Amino acid sequence: MGKKSLCLSLAGISIVTCFFWMNSYSPAYAMHIMEGFLPFGWALFWWGVTIPFIVLGLHSIKGKVRENPEVKTLLGLSGAFAFVVSALKLPSVTGSSSHPTGIGLGAILFGPTAMTVLGTIVLLFQALLLAHGGLTTLGANAFSMAVVGPFIAYGVFKGGSKFNLPFSVCVFLAVMLGNLGTYLVTSFQLALAFPSEVGGVLESFYKFSSIFALTQVPLAISEGFLTVIIMNLIKKYNMNELRLLNVFVKEAR
């Protein structure tokens, strides 16, 4: 009964999220940094930076599955959650957009490198199935959303736990700051590729980040509250597959 209730709750949240995404869809904008938007050199550079984290993540996932085979269900849930939630987008900077990331849940449960793999898979599926983002820009998008975002979320969660902040507060801050960190990095990536003629990279970063902030701040707050609801549902029903949550909470404290 616990499993059924949890699945129904997650399904309801996913349906609502998809509804808002479908009604906000605009083909004039692509999710993340769209295909061909970055110069080839920068696209290749971000691939090179991201690949080592993917390798580390594969080793991390392999070890966790070996120790607890039942966590495969939760790994799948974390990836599906990121895919559905990050499908909600609002047009922002030309060639990009603002949207929730969905990476906080998996980062808290499995650590940042494991979420790098899941986040990259999510971005790949979105590029291939939804034409959101792109293959050449996948490295850049993965670095911001699947590398930096998870590391910030996991670090904030552990830090908050060590200061004995309430569990829900730790989750909210981790997810919100992980989301905002993702878009600060995206702004920096765009600034490096397209520096302003006056003021250079810093001026360009200021412009990109200022525009993103209009839509990203409320989205980050909303994602924080949504993830708190999901995490509390996981704690409440305490399924056998979700015992890893308690392990991470104890380690963080």
PDB file of all heavy atoms in Angstrom, residues 69 138 208 244:
ATOM      1  N   PRO A  69      21.620  -3.962  -4.698  1.00  0.00           N
ATOM      2  CA  PRO A  69      20.960  -4.142  -6.005  1.00  0.00           C
ATOM      3  C   PRO A  69      19.572  -3.511  -6.067  1.00  0.00           C
ATOM      4  O   PRO A  69      19.116  -3.119  -7.139  1.00  0.00           O
ATOM      5  CB  PRO A  69      20.886  -5.670  -6.153  1.00  0.00           C
ATOM      6  CG  PRO A  69      21.994  -6.183  -5.298  1.00  0.00           C
ATOM      7  CD  PRO A  69      22.051  -5.249  -4.122  1.00  0.00           C
ATOM      8  N   LEU A 138      25.957  19.104 -25.788  1.00  0.00           N
ATOM      9  CA  LEU A 138      25.633  18.222 -24.672  1.00  0.00           C
ATOM     10  C   LEU A 138      26.687  18.306 -23.577  1.00  0.00           C
ATOM     11  O   LEU A 138      26.364  18.256 -22.387  1.00  0.00           O
ATOM     12  CB  LEU A 138      25.498  16.776 -25.171  1.00  0.00           C
ATOM     13  CG  LEU A 138      25.149  15.726 -24.120  1.00  0.00           C
ATOM     14  CD1 LEU A 138      23.809  16.043 -23.454  1.00  0.00           C
ATOM     15  CD2 LEU A 138      25.102  14.335 -24.754  1.00  0.00           C
ATOM     16  N   PHE A 208      23.845  38.063 -19.218  1.00  0.00           N
ATOM     17  CA  PHE A 208      23.189  36.757 -19.304  1.00  0.00           C
ATOM     18  C   PHE A 208      22.562  36.361 -17.969  1.00  0.00           C
ATOM     19  O   PHE A 208      21.415  35.922 -17.915  1.00  0.00           O
ATOM     20  CB  PHE A 208      24.197  35.684 -19.735  1.00  0.00           C
ATOM     21  CG  PHE A 208      24.489  35.677 -21.212  1.00  0.00           C
ATOM     22  CD1 PHE A 208      25.795  35.813 -21.668  1.00  0.00           C
ATOM     23  CD2 PHE A 208      23.476  35.523 -22.139  1.00  0.00           C
ATOM     24  CE1 PHE A 208      26.078  35.800 -23.024  1.00  0.00           C
ATOM     25  CE2 PHE A 208      23.742  35.511 -23.503  1.00  0.00           C
ATOM     26  CZ  PHE A 208      25.052  35.651 -23.937  1.00  0.00           C
ATOM     27  N   LEU A 244      18.571   3.603   1.241  1.00  0.00           N
ATOM     28  CA  LEU A 244      19.784   4.384   0.988  1.00  0.00           C
ATOM     29  C   LEU A 244      19.613   5.827   1.461  1.00  0.00           C
ATOM     30  O   LEU A 244      20.588   6.471   1.844  1.00  0.00           O
ATOM     31  CB  LEU A 244      20.114   4.365  -0.505  1.00  0.00           C
ATOM     32  CG  LEU A 244      21.441   4.980  -0.927  1.00  0.00           C
ATOM     33  CD1 LEU A 244      22.597   4.208  -0.292  1.00  0.00           C
ATOM     34  CD2 LEU A 244      21.575   5.000  -2.434  1.00  0.00           C
TER      35      LEU A 244
END
